[in-house]
């Protein structure tokens, strides 16, 4: 099969387009003919060697495709079904393996590019809002990295689920247009964002803050987190640690929460199964949309990584693999 393989860590140049062995599904797994796959910052971290161990191999966390073969003990799927899935050993390839527990049917009317963009942002945003952050009606929500795929999805779902005010933060003002288009009430830059969040909330602060950056952003978020508010950390894109003390949370009844979709896929996939019908329904009825998707051919994966690393693109980046 055709694949992109990183046999060593390094820059985008380590991504080699070549033939690879066709994988076989084990018990409880399915093999998927991949149509399209998302490019994620986690792929870049793995390629660089800052996430995971050993050689990166085939990158990619999720995909849309057609089931090609099922392993033993799989009764819920059959060859020919169209699915989205969180894959086992990479999706930058013509075929990928996924656990049946992490594979979900999706209707034919959903555009293939949209389906490819949806798994991580949709499942992650739903979990962050409903299960982890426990959004309540009319609460004020702050979404850091608001111009990214997950940030834009969080904005849409926060509004759909009844948030009163949604404030997005971005690295530069030229990224504000799309978050506003997706429903954000205000979009501000990271510079002095606690001051502006407090100003926009009449000094009440935000009830719920979603932080995928960590480091200084996490520390500064506490300066605009309301009493009884929840600060949810689900990534560390900044690469730096944040420093907190117990006095930052206990007296104000505020909470610091953590969530990893990757850990949940590995340790508690049944949690994602339990919400999958709700998430897929949101995708199928177009309650979640993905503006400004940029698509690359599989052999141009290095260019896709360069664009994502540049942090100049607003929205999702997709690899087109097979028709």
């Amino acid at each position: 099969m055709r694949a992109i393989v990183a046999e060593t860590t390094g820059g985008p140049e380590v991504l080699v387009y070549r033939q690879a062995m066709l994988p076989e599904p084990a018990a409880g797994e399915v093999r998927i003919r991949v149509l399209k796959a998302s490019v994620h910052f986690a792929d870049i971290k793995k390629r660089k060697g800052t996430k995971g161990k050993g050689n990166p191999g085939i990158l990619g966390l999720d995909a849309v495709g057609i089931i090609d073969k099922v392993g033993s003990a799989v009764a819920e799927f059959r060859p020919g079904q169209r699915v989205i899935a969180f894959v086992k050993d990479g999706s930058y390839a013509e075929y990928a393996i996924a656990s049946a527990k992490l594979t979900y049917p999706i209707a034919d009317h959903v555009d293939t590019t949209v389906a490819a963009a949806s798994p991580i942002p949709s499942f992650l945003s739903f979990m962050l809002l409903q299960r982890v952050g426990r959004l309540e009606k009319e609460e004020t929500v702050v979404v850091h990295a608001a111009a990214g795929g997950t940030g834009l999805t969080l904005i849409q779902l926060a509004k759909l689920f009844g948030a009163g005010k949604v404030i997005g933060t971005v690295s530069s003002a030229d990224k504000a247009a799309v978050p506003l288009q997706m429903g954000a009430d205000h979009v501000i830059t990271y510079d002095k964002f606690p001051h502006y969040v407090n100003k926009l909330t009449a000094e009440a602060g935000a009830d719920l803050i979603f932080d995928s950056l960590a480091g200084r952003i996490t520390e500064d978020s506490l300066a605009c987190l309301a009493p009884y508010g929840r600060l949810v950390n689900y990534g560390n894109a900044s690469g730096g640690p944040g420093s907190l003390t117990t006095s930052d949370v206990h007296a104000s009844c505020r909470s610091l929460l953590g969530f990893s979709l990757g850990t949940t896929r590995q340790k508690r996939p049944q949690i994602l199964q339990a919400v999958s019908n709700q998430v897929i329904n949101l995708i199928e009825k177009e309650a979640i949309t993905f503006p400004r998707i940029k698509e690359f051919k599989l052999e141009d994966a290095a260019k896709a990584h360069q664009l994502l690393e540049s942090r100049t693109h607003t929205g999702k980046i997709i690899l087109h693999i097979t028709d």
Side-chain angles (χ1 to χ4, degrees):
M1 67 175 184
R2 297 179 302 118
I4 293 289
V5 182
E7 295 178 345
T8 185
T9 58
E13 70 278 358
V14 305
L15 300 176
V16 178
Y17 178 64
R18 67 169 177 80
Q19 291 292 315
M21 291 292 294
L22 184 68
E24 291 293 327
E29 295 179 340
V30 299
R31 186 171 70 193
I32 299 167
R33 179 170 62 86
V34 180
L35 302 176
K36 300 187 182 189
S38 281
V39 178
H40 299 283
F41 271 106
D43 302 336
I44 290 173
K45 288 184 176 181
K46 188 174 182 181
R47 189 202 75 216
K48 289 181 172 181
T50 58
K51 184 181 180 70
K53 299 178 181 179
N55 291 332
I58 298 174
L59 303 175
L61 301 174
D62 53 9
V64 59
I66 308 298
I67 291 181
D68 165 71
K69 188 175 183 181
V70 299
S72 61
V74 175
E76 63 269 44
F77 291 106
R78 66 184 186 280
Q81 279 186 282
R82 188 173 189 251
V83 295
I84 58 173
F86 298 111
V87 303
K88 180 180 177 182
D89 294 314
S91 55
Y92 291 16
E94 287 185 286
Y95 293 88
I97 300 294
S99 166
K101 295 179 180 179
L102 293 170
T103 301
Y104 318 99
I106 191 162
D108 289 341
H109 76 261
V110 178
D111 180 81
T112 303
T113 303
V114 170
S118 68
I120 284 184
S122 300
F123 276 85
L124 178 55
S125 296
F126 187 93
M127 289 294 297
L128 290 173
L129 285 159
Q130 297 283 56
R131 295 295 187 94
V132 184
R134 306 181 309 279
L135 173 68
E136 296 183 9
K137 298 290 186 182
E138 298 304 317
E139 286 191 317
T140 295
V141 176
V142 169
V143 177
H144 292 312
T150 298
L152 293 171
T153 306
L154 277 168
I155 290 168
Q156 294 175 70
L157 290 187
K159 280 295 190 179
L160 182 66
F161 296 156
K165 183 178 293 183
V166 177
I167 303 169
T169 66
V170 292
S171 58
S172 60
D174 59 1
K175 291 185 177 182
V178 178
L180 288 168
Q181 176 189 339
M182 291 295 101
D185 297 286
H186 308 277
V187 178
I188 56 180
T189 62
Y190 300 129
D191 184 43
K192 299 180 180 179
F193 77 83
H195 165 76
Y196 291 106
V197 169
N198 287 328
K199 184 177 180 180
L200 290 167
T201 58
E203 303 303 322
D207 301 294
L208 191 50
I209 300 178
F210 293 109
D211 169 28
S212 61
L213 301 172
R216 182 186 62 80
I217 297 297
T218 298
E219 297 173 7
D220 289 349
S221 293
L222 285 169
C224 59
L225 184 64
Y228 296 92
R230 288 88 66 207
L231 171 56
V232 183
N233 176 261
Y234 66 99
N236 64 335
S238 71
S243 177
L244 307 174
T245 63
T246 55
S247 61
D248 289 326
V249 293
H250 84 272
S252 58
C253 299
R254 300 182 298 180
S255 302
L256 175 63
L257 302 162
F259 183 74
S260 165
L261 190 63
T263 300
T264 304
R265 293 197 306 269
Q266 294 172 15
K267 296 182 179 294
R268 298 189 180 183
Q270 69 274 13
I271 294 176
L272 301 181
Q273 275 189 311
V275 303
S276 61
N277 286 341
Q278 293 168 277
V279 175
I280 299 297
N281 181 57
L282 290 168
I283 298 167
E284 291 181 345
K285 70 179 187 181
E286 298 183 355
I288 302 172
T289 60
F290 297 91
R292 296 194 183 182
I293 295 175
K294 177 70 174 178
E295 197 163 338
F296 290 85
K297 295 179 180 178
L298 176 62
E299 54 265 40
D300 292 327
K303 295 179 181 178
H305 274 225
Q306 289 169 350
L307 178 59
L308 187 59
E309 280 188 275
S310 73
R311 297 182 184 270
T312 58
H313 180 68
T314 299
K316 291 288 295 178
I317 297 174
I318 300 295
L319 294 180
H320 179 98
I321 298 174
T322 58
D323 294 315

